[in-house]
Amino acid sequence: MPIREISVRNVNISDDFWSSRQAIVTEVTIPYMEKILRDEVPEARKSHAVSNFRMAAGEESGEFYGMVFQDSDVAKWLEAAAYSLFLKPDHALAERVDELVALIGRSQQEDGYLNTYFTVREPGNRWKNLLECHELYCAGHMIEAGVALHEAAGKDDLLRICIRLADHICDRFEKEEGIPGHQEIEIGLLRLFHATGNARYRDMALRFLDLRGKDPEWFIKHTPQHPGIHYGGYDIDPADTVYNQSDVPVREQTAARGHAVRQLYMLAAMADAAAETGDQALLNACMRLFDNITQKQMYVTGAVGSSAYHEAFTVDYDLPPDRCYGETCASVAMVFFAHNMIRNDPDGRFADLMELELYNAALAGMQLDGKRFFYVNPLEVDTSVCGKVPGYEHVLPQRPPWHDCACCPPNLARLIASLGRYLWSEDGDTIYSHLWIGSEAATRFGRIRMEGGYPWQGKIGYTIMDGGTFTLAIHIPGHVKKYSLQVNYHAEEYPVRNGYVYIRRAWQAGDMVLLHFEMAVRRLHADVHVRSCTGKTALARGPFIYCFEESDQAGRLSSVSLPSDAEIDAVSAFPGLPQETVCLSMKGNADLFPGSQYSPDMPKQVPCLLKAIPYYSWANRSPGNMLVWIREQP
Amino acid sequence: MPIREISVRNVNISDDFWSSRQAIVTEVTIPYMEKILRDEVPEARKSHAVSNFRMAAGEESGEFYGMVFQDSDVAKWLEAAAYSLFLKPDHALAERVDELVALIGRSQQEDGYLNTYFTVREPGNRWKNLLECHELYCAGHMIEAGVALHEAAGKDDLLRICIRLADHICDRFEKEEGIPGHQEIEIGLLRLFHATGNARYRDMALRFLDLRGKDPEWFIKHTPQHPGIHYGGYDIDPADTVYNQSDVPVREQTAARGHAVRQLYMLAAMADAAAETGDQALLNACMRLFDNITQKQMYVTGAVGSSAYHEAFTVDYDLPPDRCYGETCASVAMVFFAHNMIRNDPDGRFADLMELELYNAALAGMQLDGKRFFYVNPLEVDTSVCGKVPGYEHVLPQRPPWHDCACCPPNLARLIASLGRYLWSEDGDTIYSHLWIGSEAATRFGRIRMEGGYPWQGKIGYTIMDGGTFTLAIHIPGHVKKYSLQVNYHAEEYPVRNGYVYIRRAWQAGDMVLLHFEMAVRRLHADVHVRSCTGKTALARGPFIYCFEESDQAGRLSSVSLPSDAEIDAVSAFPGLPQETVCLSMKGNADLFPGSQYSPDMPKQVPCLLKAIPYYSWANRSPGNMLVWIREQP
C-alpha cells in the first residue's frame, strides 16, 4: 500500500491556533466571498462570477464580465464551501451550494463543455487558444471542487458534471495535441482519478505533462492572432516559453522559472503523477526543482516568485525583500507541491515546507478577521514608496478588500478549510503525522489524537485511542534540534529518518507519546549570495518567522539594528494582537541621523527596545513600515 | 559688475587629471561621434542624424530616421567640436564643422524654422505638439552650439542661423502661449542673450518659464490626439504634469520630481534667469530644489533620478543603489545648474556639487578610452540580475558602444571639452577660483595660474602672473576640513565665507598662494532615512567616491564588510588602471556561506583584503559586480 493522505473526512482538527482560523474561514470568509461572487457587497469590486453562469445557462441576459478565468473563483469558493460543510454543517449553505451546482449543470453544454466566457461570448472559439483562454485551468478548478464536494460533503452532483467535463476534455485531447496555457487541469484530473479510479483521467494528466516543452514552439504554432482581445487582461507572448514552462520537457527542467503559480501547480501535479506511476525521471525533476526553489529562490517566510513582472521566479538568489511579489497563491501552491512530494517520500523537508508556508507566507495573505487579503507578501515595506513609486506599485501596506484578479482569497480559504488533508498519511504499517496541529485522525489502525501547546509552546502529545501494532512516524520540524520523547511517561529513544521519528509498538488504547522541546528564538542568516540579506538576521520561534512593524518601535525601521549577542525575550501579545500571540522583545540600537545627507561622521547609536511580531499578523493594526530582515551587529 | 564666468576662451587648462581627458575627448570621442552621426561606424547603431539634415535641405532622398529629437545629437556634437577647436586647433575639423553648419543653414526654412523631423516628415504639423515633439528642445541645443562656435571658435555662421531660428521662435511664442515639453530652449535663449545682448531672447526664456505650471491642464488642452505616432519613441501622457514639471508654477515648486533632465535643465535656466533679473522668488525656488536634491534625492556619487521609469526623481530618500538610473545627462545638468547658481551666490556648496559630479557620476559615463558610454550609472551591480531581470534591465555592467537615444555621450563630450567655463568667475574686484583644476585664466586683473597635485595629492598653488589690487577668492572643497595657507611661503590667515577663502592684496607679479591639506580617506554615512544605506559606508578621498569591483576581491561582494576601525591605505594603481590613479586597500571580512539558504548559524567571518578604486574608473577592466556602499561593522 503506497503512502496516502488520510482523507479530510477522517481528520477532526481541534487546535488552539488553527481551529479559530478555520472558524473565521467558515463563518466570515466563505460567506463574505459568496456575497462577492453574487455581487452583493457594494463596496467590493464587481465579480459577476455567478451571473456569468446564469447567462451561460440562458437564464439571464447581458454581457460576460470579468477575467476569462472568472469561473475559477466560483470553483475555488465551492471547494472551500465543501470543506466548510464538513467542518461546520450548515443546512442553508448546503442548499445554496446545491443550487449553485445545479446552475453550473444547466450552464454545461450538451457535449460536456463548461466555461461561461466562451459559452456566452465566443461559442465558436472553444479550445482554440489554449495559451491565453484558461478553459483547461477553469476545468481543473471545477474538477477539484467536484472532488471536494464528493469527499468532504458527500455531494456528488458536481462530480457528475465534472466527469462529463473531464470526458469531454479527454475525448478532445486524447486525439489532438494540447498544452494548457496555465497548468491546473493536471491537478484536477489526477484528483478525479483518485476519486473515481478511472485511469483515463490520470493518463490525460500525464499526456498534458508529457507534451509540455516537447516542441518549444508549440504555442507559437497554435496561438491565433487576436488583435485587441486580451484574454488574460493582458497579452501573453506565445514566444515567451519560459513564462509557462513550455520551453523544455518537464522531466528535463532544472530550475523554477516563469510564472510562479503555473510552475508550482505543474510541480504539484508532477509529484502526484510520479507517486502514482513511479516515474523516476518525473520525481527527479520534482526534487531538482524543490531544491532549487527552497535553497535558492524562496524568501525566509516561504514566499516565492520575487518579481511582480509576470508574477514570476527570476534567477537564483534574486530576493529583494521590498519589491517581493510572493503571491499568496504561490505559497498555497507550495503546500500542494510539498504535500504531493510526501506521497513519494516522507521526508521532513516537505513537511517543513508545508509548515513554513502555512504559518507564514500563506497565512499572511489573510487579515486576522478573515475579510481582507494580500495578493503580494513583501518582507519589507516602506510606505513612502510602496503603492506609488515605480517598481513598488504592487507592494501594499494594508490588505485590500477584494481584487480584480481574485485568485488568492478563495485559494487561501480552500487551503485553510481543507487543512485536515495535510496532517496525516498512512501506508501498510505506518501512520505519519506531518504537522503538529491538534487533531484526531481515523486511521486504518484506529483513532489517534494529537494535541499540545504548539505552535506557541514546546510540548505536544499523541494519544492512541484504539491500539494495534503499527509504526507511528512523527515529523520533528527541522527547527527542533533537541527534544525529549516519552512513551507513557517513560523516556524512550526511537530511530529517526529524514526528519521523522519512527515508533513501532504494539499500541494499547490510551498509550501516549509526549514530546518536549525548547522553543528558543532563532536568528536566521541567509546564504551570502542573497545580496539583500547579508549582514542581517531574521527572527524565528517555532514555526513562525517574525517581523518588525515601525509602529512598535521607538525610531525609524531603517535606523535600527540588533547586536548579535542581544537576548531576545518571548513576551505576551502586544495590544491589538490576539492574546495567545507570542511576541518578541529585545534591546537593539537606533542610528541617529549623522547631520547631513552624506556625512563623514559615524551615525551615533542609541539603545532602544525592539519589538517583533509573527509575520502572518503584520498589517493588522495601523498600516505602516515593516521589515523581516534586521541589521545584525557582530 | 555681477559675477560672470570667465569665458572658456580665456582659460587654458593644464591639469594632470583633466588635460588627458580633454585630449581623449578631442582626439577620440569627438571624431568617433562624428563618424557615428555620419553613419560611418558599422558596428554602432544607426544614427542618420546628418542624413536627416541632408534630406531637410532637399539634397538626399529617403525617410527621416531616429528620434524626433535626433537633431540635438548634431547640435551637441557641434558644441563639443566648438570647444575642441579651441582646445586643439584642427583645420580639417574646422572645415567639416563649416560644411555641416552650411548644411544646417540650407535645411533652415525661409521663416527661420529649423527641425529636420518636421521639415522632412510632417511639414504641416510644425509647433502643434509641444509636449512630445522636442522642436524647442532641439532649437535650444542648436542655439547653444551656435553660441559655443561663436565664443570658443570664433565662428559665427551657426550663430546667425540660430538668431534667425530664435527670432522665428520669438515671433511665434511672444504672441501665442507655449510651454516646452522638454525644457532646454530656456538655456539656449539665455545663452544667446548673453552672447548678443538682445533682451528679446532673455524675455522669451522668462516667458517660457513663467507660463509653465500656470495652467496645469495646458498640455491636456494643447496636445493633439495622434493614434499610433510615438514622437518620443513612447507615449507621453499630457495629464502627467509632474513628468515635465508643469503642474505648479516654477517659482512655487518645492521638490524635484519627474524627468530628471527636464527638471535640471529648467533649474539651470531658472538660476541663470534669476542672476540676470534679480528675481528673488525664482532664486528661492532654485535654492529649495537645490537643497531638496542634494540633501534628499542625490546618490553619494552625485547621480540623480533614481527611477528608470520616466528617468525620474521619485520621492525623498528613495535611492536604491542597484536599480539607480542616474542618467549621465542628469549629472551633466547638475553641473549646469550649480554653475549658474554661482552667478547668484558664490557659495561653496555649488562648487562642491560641480566637483562631485565632474569627478564621479558624470565622468563615470565615459569609458577611460573615450569610446563607450553609460547612460545609467548604478551604485551597485550584480551581473546575475542586471540587464536581465525585470527592474534591472537598464543597469549594465559595461558601457555599450552607442545608444538609440544618444543624448548622453555628446552631452558629456561638450561638458569635458568646455571644462574651462566652470573654473573661474570674476566680478568688480574679485576673481573666484571654483575648482582645483590646473589652468591659467586671463582675468580682468591679468593672468592667474592654478596648479598642483590635486585631485590625488593635498597641495595646490596659485601664481599671480601680472598683479594688481584685487581679491582672490579660492574655493576650499567642503571635504577639506583643515588646510594651511601660505602667501609667498608665509603662513597667513584670511577670512573664509561660505566655502571660499577671500585673499585681498595688492598683488605683485610672481606672488604665490600655496595650500596644503590632508588627503585622508573619508568614510561617508547616509542619512538614516535612506533605507538602502544604513549600516553601510561609502569611501571617499579628495573629490573621488570609491567603489569595489568584485574582480579585485577575494570573495563575493555581497559577503564583504569593513570594520569601522579598519585602516584604509591609499595605494598605487591596480593593474589595468591609469598609473596615476590612487586606489585604496584595507583589511575587511568576508562572510562564509553558513550552510543552507536560511541557517540559524552565524556566518563565519574570515579576514580578507579589500580593494577599492575611484568610482569613475569602474567597468574599465573585466565587467562584473560592483558596489559603492559597503557594510560597516561597528
Side-chain angles (χ1 to χ4, degrees):
Chain A
M1 179 185 169
I3 300 170
R4 283 274 165 86
E5 83 189 39
I6 293 182
S7 160
V8 72
R9 240 203 307 204
N10 291 325
V11 177
N12 280 298
I13 291 179
S14 173
D15 182 84
D16 284 350
F17 188 80
W18 287 104
S19 291
S20 61
R21 269 155 194 92
Q22 289 196 317
I24 283 168
V25 165
T26 57
E27 286 158 27
V28 178
T29 311
I30 290 174
Y32 177 71
M33 283 180 188
E34 186 185 3
K35 283 208 178 77
I36 285 178
L37 297 176
R38 297 180 188 275
D39 298 305
E40 292 167 8
V41 182
E43 66 276 19
R45 290 178 186 259
K46 182 172 168 182
S47 161
H48 208 256
V50 172
S51 281
N52 289 337
F53 279 98
R54 288 204 196 99
M55 289 189 303
E59 297 165 12
E60 193 177 301
S61 61
E63 276 289 299
F64 175 92
Y65 175 88
M67 298 281 175
V68 73
F69 48 85
Q70 204 80 346
D71 288 1
S72 64
D73 292 352
V74 172
K76 280 191 277 189
W77 179 81
L78 276 171
E79 192 183 345
Y83 300 118
S84 175
L85 286 172
F86 164 70
L87 293 176
K88 185 188 162 225
D90 175 336
H91 186 67
L93 175 63
E95 277 192 353
R96 294 200 308 279
V97 164
D98 290 343
E99 274 169 34
L100 186 55
V101 167
L103 170 63
I104 292 168
R106 295 194 300 278
S107 79
Q108 189 169 33
Q109 305 298 292
E110 273 300 305
D111 58 359
Y113 184 84
L114 178 59
N115 182 292
T116 70
Y117 176 86
F118 283 94
T119 302
V120 172
R121 190 179 279 177
E122 297 188 42
N125 287 333
R126 293 171 12 169
W127 304 126
K128 289 202 177 142
N129 184 341
L130 297 188
L131 177 68
E132 297 173 294
C133 289
H134 288 71
E135 289 158 287
L136 290 169
Y137 170 87
C138 289
H141 277 301
M142 197 58 81
I143 293 168
E144 287 205 83
V147 172
L149 278 167
H150 162 74
E151 286 184 350
K155 289 176 177 294
D156 289 344
D157 290 354
L158 188 57
L159 188 69
R160 280 189 287 272
I161 292 167
C162 289
I163 287 172
R164 286 182 59 209
L165 170 59
D167 287 338
H168 169 78
I169 289 169
C170 292
D171 288 344
R172 181 168 198 106
F173 292 103
E174 281 167 357
K175 285 172 262 161
E176 144 177 342
E177 275 193 0
I179 304 179
H182 190 316
Q183 299 90 320
E184 158 64 26
I185 184 68
E186 305 87 341
I187 292 177
L189 288 169
L190 287 163
R191 287 189 75 181
L192 189 61
F193 160 65
H194 296 313
T196 64
N198 186 340
R200 188 186 192 193
Y201 308 133
R202 176 196 63 199
D203 295 344
M204 189 67 246
L206 287 171
R207 180 168 155 84
F208 282 135
L209 290 172
D210 289 343
L211 282 173
R212 180 173 294 271
K214 221 170 135 184
D215 174 4
E217 298 195 346
W218 194 90
F219 283 117
I220 297 174
K221 294 171 186 159
H222 293 86
T223 303
Q225 298 282 324
H226 51 80
I229 305 183
H230 304 290
Y231 286 108
Y234 51 90
D235 275 319
I236 296 176
D237 176 7
D240 184 359
T241 52
V242 169
Y243 174 65
N244 57 22
Q245 302 85 31
S246 66
D247 55 335
V248 173
V250 299
R251 286 173 188 74
E252 295 167 28
Q253 298 189 7
T254 53
R257 294 143 323 136
H259 188 260
V261 173
R262 281 171 168 81
Q263 173 77 80
L264 290 163
Y265 280 3
M266 181 175 98
L267 286 168
M270 284 165 64
D272 195 358
E276 212 48 57
T277 61
D279 182 332
Q280 192 62 40
L282 208 52
L283 183 59
N284 290 346
C286 289
M287 277 308 311
R288 282 197 303 275
L289 270 82
F290 183 89
D291 287 347
N292 172 259
I293 294 168
T294 57
Q295 292 298 312
K296 296 180 179 170
Q297 296 204 67
M298 186 177 76
Y299 288 91
V300 72
T301 56
V304 288
S306 59
S307 175
Y309 178 78
H310 278 179
E311 309 176 312
F313 290 102
T314 58
V315 296
D316 293 350
Y317 307 114
D318 174 39
L319 297 164
D322 56 346
R323 286 171 302 120
C324 171
Y325 199 69
E327 184 180 339
T328 304
C329 281
S331 284
V332 170
M334 288 280 272
V335 178
F336 301 159
F337 177 30
H339 182 228
N340 286 346
M341 287 301 282
I342 288 175
R343 292 194 53 214
N344 290 283
D345 180 11
D347 187 311
R349 289 186 297 160
F350 306 128
D352 281 340
L353 181 65
M354 290 202 299
E355 184 181 90
L356 179 69
E357 299 291 355
L358 283 168
Y359 287 95
N360 298 284
L363 189 56
M366 193 167 82
Q367 196 160 278
L368 291 175
D369 66 5
K371 284 187 182 165
R372 296 165 73 114
F373 297 86
F374 273 135
Y375 198 106
V376 166
N377 296 284
L379 278 78
E380 182 171 335
V381 164
D382 177 345
T383 53
S384 74
V385 297
C386 77
K388 305 182 248 216
V389 168
Y392 296 97
E393 294 97 335
H394 59 291
V395 180
L396 300 178
Q398 205 174 6
R399 295 168 186 82
W402 199 245
H403 303 259
D404 279 338
C405 174
C407 52
C408 297
N411 225 347
L412 198 50
R414 67 173 176 146
L415 176 69
I416 293 173
S418 68
L419 189 61
R421 291 183 63 195
Y422 302 92
L423 309 188
W424 300 86
S425 301
E426 59 189 358
D427 61 18
D429 66 351
T430 306
I431 306 298
Y432 298 90
S433 165
H434 307 300
L435 293 167
W436 287 342
I437 293 176
S439 56
E440 187 176 297
T443 78
R444 59 200 309 261
F445 299 105
R447 291 165 301 142
I448 303 176
R449 190 193 295 157
M450 188 269 143
E451 61 203 322
Y454 203 73
W456 303 116
Q457 291 155 38
K459 55 178 181 190
I460 55 122
Y462 290 80
T463 309
I464 310 299
M465 311 293 284
D466 297 306
T469 297
F470 63 93
T471 302
L472 176 62
I474 300 171
H475 172 235
I476 310 295
H479 56 80
V480 175
K481 297 296 178 202
K482 257 179 71 178
Y483 59 92
S484 67
L485 188 154
Q486 296 178 329
V487 178
N488 298 333
Y489 303 105
H490 289 91
E492 302 269 6
E493 296 237 349
Y494 285 94
V496 174
R497 278 198 313 277
N498 296 332
Y500 285 77
V501 56
Y502 287 82
I503 312 175
R504 183 157 189 86
R505 287 176 76 104
W507 299 95
Q508 309 293 319
D511 277 356
M512 288 177 67
V513 178
L514 291 175
L515 283 113
H516 287 85
F517 43 92
E518 214 191 335
M519 288 285 272
V521 177
R522 309 188 300 284
R523 289 172 181 245
L524 301 178
H525 302 95
D527 187 321
V528 290
H529 291 83
V530 186
R531 260 189 307 136
S532 53
C533 292
T534 50
K536 297 180 182 175
T537 186
L539 304 184
R541 183 177 182 275
F544 296 111
I545 303 296
Y546 281 71
C547 71
F548 297 83
E549 288 196 304
E550 191 161 283
S551 54
D552 287 325
Q553 323 304 329
R556 280 186 65 82
L557 273 184
S558 61
S559 75
V560 299
S561 58
L562 181 62
S564 62
D565 57 359
E567 276 189 29
I568 303 172
D569 299 319
V571 298
S572 50
F574 302 142
L577 292 175
Q579 85 183 64
E580 73 274 17
T581 316
V582 173
C583 295
L584 304 179
S585 171
M586 66 217 83
K587 285 184 184 147
N589 293 310
D591 293 348
L592 288 187
F593 186 54
S596 71
Q597 168 87 320
Y598 301 112
S599 164
D601 305 326
M602 274 295 280
K604 236 188 171 161
Q605 291 203 324
V606 291
C608 66
L609 193 69
L610 296 173
K611 297 176 173 183
I613 63 169
Y615 174 74
Y616 76 88
S617 65
W618 86 278
N620 272 285
R621 295 171 297 163
S622 47
N625 295 349
M626 179 275 290
L627 62 79
V628 170
W629 289 98
I630 187 169
R631 278 190 288 135
E632 190 173 37
Q633 298 181 323
Chain B
M1 181 185 170
I3 300 169
R4 282 275 163 85
E5 82 189 40
I6 293 181
S7 161
V8 71
R9 239 202 308 204
N10 292 325
V11 177
N12 280 298
I13 291 179
S14 173
D15 183 84
D16 283 350
F17 188 81
W18 286 104
S19 290
S20 60
R21 271 157 190 91
Q22 288 196 316
I24 283 169
V25 166
T26 58
E27 285 158 28
V28 177
T29 311
I30 290 174
Y32 177 72
M33 284 181 188
E34 185 185 3
K35 284 207 177 75
I36 286 178
L37 297 177
R38 296 179 188 275
D39 297 305
E40 292 167 7
V41 182
E43 68 274 20
R45 291 179 186 258
K46 183 172 166 182
S47 161
H48 207 259
V50 172
S51 281
N52 289 338
F53 278 99
R54 287 204 196 100
M55 289 189 304
E59 298 166 12
E60 194 176 298
S61 60
E63 275 290 299
F64 175 92
Y65 175 87
M67 299 281 176
V68 72
F69 48 86
Q70 205 80 346
D71 288 1
S72 63
D73 292 352
V74 172
K76 281 191 276 189
W77 179 82
L78 277 170
E79 191 183 345
Y83 299 118
S84 175
L85 286 172
F86 164 72
L87 293 175
K88 185 187 161 226
D90 175 335
H91 185 65
L93 175 62
E95 276 192 353
R96 294 201 306 281
V97 164
D98 290 343
E99 274 169 33
L100 186 53
V101 168
L103 170 63
I104 291 169
R106 295 194 300 278
S107 80
Q108 189 168 33
Q109 305 298 291
E110 274 300 305
D111 59 358
Y113 184 84
L114 177 60
N115 183 291
T116 71
Y117 176 86
F118 283 93
T119 301
V120 172
R121 191 178 279 179
E122 298 187 42
N125 286 334
R126 293 171 12 170
W127 303 127
K128 287 202 179 144
N129 183 340
L130 298 187
L131 178 67
E132 297 174 293
C133 290
H134 288 72
E135 290 159 287
L136 290 168
Y137 171 86
C138 290
H141 277 301
M142 197 58 82
I143 293 168
E144 287 205 83
V147 171
L149 277 166
H150 162 74
E151 285 184 352
K155 289 177 177 294
D156 289 346
D157 290 354
L158 188 57
L159 189 68
R160 279 189 287 272
I161 291 167
C162 289
I163 287 173
R164 285 183 60 209
L165 170 58
D167 288 337
H168 169 77
I169 290 169
C170 292
D171 288 345
R172 181 170 199 103
F173 292 103
E174 281 167 356
K175 283 172 263 162
E176 143 178 342
E177 273 192 2
I179 304 180
H182 190 316
Q183 299 91 320
E184 158 64 24
I185 184 67
E186 304 87 340
I187 292 178
L189 288 169
L190 286 164
R191 287 189 75 181
L192 190 60
F193 160 65
H194 296 313
T196 64
N198 185 340
R200 187 185 193 192
Y201 307 134
R202 177 197 64 199
D203 295 344
M204 189 68 246
L206 288 171
R207 180 167 155 85
F208 281 135
L209 290 172
D210 289 343
L211 282 173
R212 179 172 295 271
K214 222 169 133 186
D215 175 4
E217 299 195 344
W218 194 90
F219 282 118
I220 298 175
K221 293 171 186 160
H222 294 87
T223 303
Q225 298 282 325
H226 52 80
I229 305 183
H230 304 290
Y231 286 108
Y234 50 91
D235 276 319
I236 297 176
D237 176 4
D240 184 0
T241 52
V242 169
Y243 175 64
N244 58 22
Q245 300 86 31
S246 66
D247 56 334
V248 173
V250 299
R251 288 174 187 74
E252 294 167 28
Q253 299 190 6
T254 53
R257 294 143 324 135
H259 188 259
V261 174
R262 282 173 167 80
Q263 173 76 81
L264 289 162
Y265 281 4
M266 181 176 96
L267 286 168
M270 285 165 64
D272 195 358
E276 213 47 57
T277 61
D279 182 331
Q280 193 62 39
L282 207 52
L283 183 60
N284 290 347
C286 289
M287 277 308 312
R288 280 196 303 274
L289 271 84
F290 183 89
D291 287 346
N292 172 259
I293 294 169
T294 57
Q295 292 299 312
K296 298 180 179 171
Q297 297 206 66
M298 186 176 77
Y299 288 92
V300 72
T301 57
V304 288
S306 59
S307 175
Y309 179 79
H310 277 177
E311 310 176 311
F313 290 101
T314 58
V315 295
D316 293 351
Y317 307 114
D318 174 39
L319 297 164
D322 56 346
R323 287 173 300 119
C324 172
Y325 199 70
E327 184 179 340
T328 304
C329 281
S331 284
V332 170
M334 288 280 272
V335 178
F336 301 160
F337 176 31
H339 182 228
N340 286 346
M341 286 302 281
I342 288 175
R343 292 192 55 214
N344 290 283
D345 179 12
D347 187 311
R349 289 186 297 159
F350 307 128
D352 282 339
L353 181 66
M354 291 203 299
E355 186 183 87
L356 178 70
E357 300 291 355
L358 284 168
Y359 286 95
N360 299 284
L363 189 56
M366 193 167 82
Q367 196 159 277
L368 290 175
D369 66 6
K371 284 186 181 165
R372 295 167 73 114
F373 296 86
F374 274 135
Y375 198 106
V376 166
N377 296 285
L379 279 76
E380 181 170 336
V381 163
D382 177 345
T383 54
S384 74
V385 297
C386 76
K388 304 181 250 215
V389 167
Y392 296 97
E393 295 97 334
H394 59 291
V395 180
L396 300 176
Q398 205 174 6
R399 294 168 187 84
W402 199 246
H403 304 259
D404 278 339
C405 173
C407 53
C408 296
N411 224 348
L412 198 49
R414 68 173 175 146
L415 176 69
I416 293 173
S418 68
L419 188 61
R421 290 183 65 195
Y422 302 91
L423 310 189
W424 301 85
S425 301
E426 59 190 358
D427 60 17
D429 65 351
T430 306
I431 306 298
Y432 298 91
S433 165
H434 307 300
L435 294 166
W436 286 343
I437 293 176
S439 57
E440 187 176 300
T443 77
R444 60 200 310 261
F445 299 106
R447 290 165 302 140
I448 304 176
R449 190 193 294 155
M450 187 269 145
E451 61 203 323
Y454 202 73
W456 304 116
Q457 291 155 38
K459 55 178 180 189
I460 54 121
Y462 290 81
T463 309
I464 309 300
M465 310 293 283
D466 296 305
T469 298
F470 63 92
T471 302
L472 176 62
I474 300 171
H475 172 236
I476 309 295
H479 57 79
V480 174
K481 297 297 178 199
K482 256 179 70 176
Y483 59 92
S484 66
L485 188 153
Q486 295 177 329
V487 178
N488 297 334
Y489 303 106
H490 288 92
E492 303 268 7
E493 297 236 351
Y494 286 94
V496 175
R497 279 199 312 275
N498 297 331
Y500 286 77
V501 55
Y502 287 81
I503 312 175
R504 183 158 189 85
R505 286 175 76 104
W507 299 95
Q508 308 292 319
D511 277 356
M512 287 176 67
V513 178
L514 292 175
L515 284 111
H516 287 84
F517 44 92
E518 217 191 334
M519 288 285 273
V521 177
R522 309 187 300 284
R523 290 172 180 245
L524 300 179
H525 302 94
D527 187 320
V528 290
H529 290 82
V530 185
R531 261 190 306 137
S532 53
C533 293
T534 49
K536 296 180 180 175
T537 185
L539 305 184
R541 183 178 182 275
F544 295 111
I545 303 296
Y546 280 72
C547 71
F548 297 82
E549 287 197 304
E550 190 159 284
S551 54
D552 288 325
Q553 323 305 330
R556 281 186 64 82
L557 273 185
S558 62
S559 74
V560 299
S561 58
L562 180 62
S564 62
D565 57 358
E567 276 189 28
I568 302 172
D569 299 318
V571 298
S572 50
F574 302 143
L577 292 176
Q579 87 183 63
E580 73 274 16
T581 315
V582 174
C583 294
L584 304 180
S585 172
M586 66 216 85
K587 284 183 185 149
N589 294 309
D591 292 348
L592 287 188
F593 186 54
S596 70
Q597 169 84 322
Y598 302 111
S599 164
D601 305 325
M602 273 296 280
K604 239 189 169 161
Q605 291 203 324
V606 291
C608 67
L609 194 68
L610 296 174
K611 296 175 173 182
I613 63 170
Y615 174 75
Y616 76 87
S617 66
W618 86 278
N620 273 283
R621 296 170 298 163
S622 47
N625 295 349
M626 178 275 290
L627 63 79
V628 169
W629 288 99
I630 187 169
R631 278 189 287 135
E632 188 173 38
Q633 299 180 321

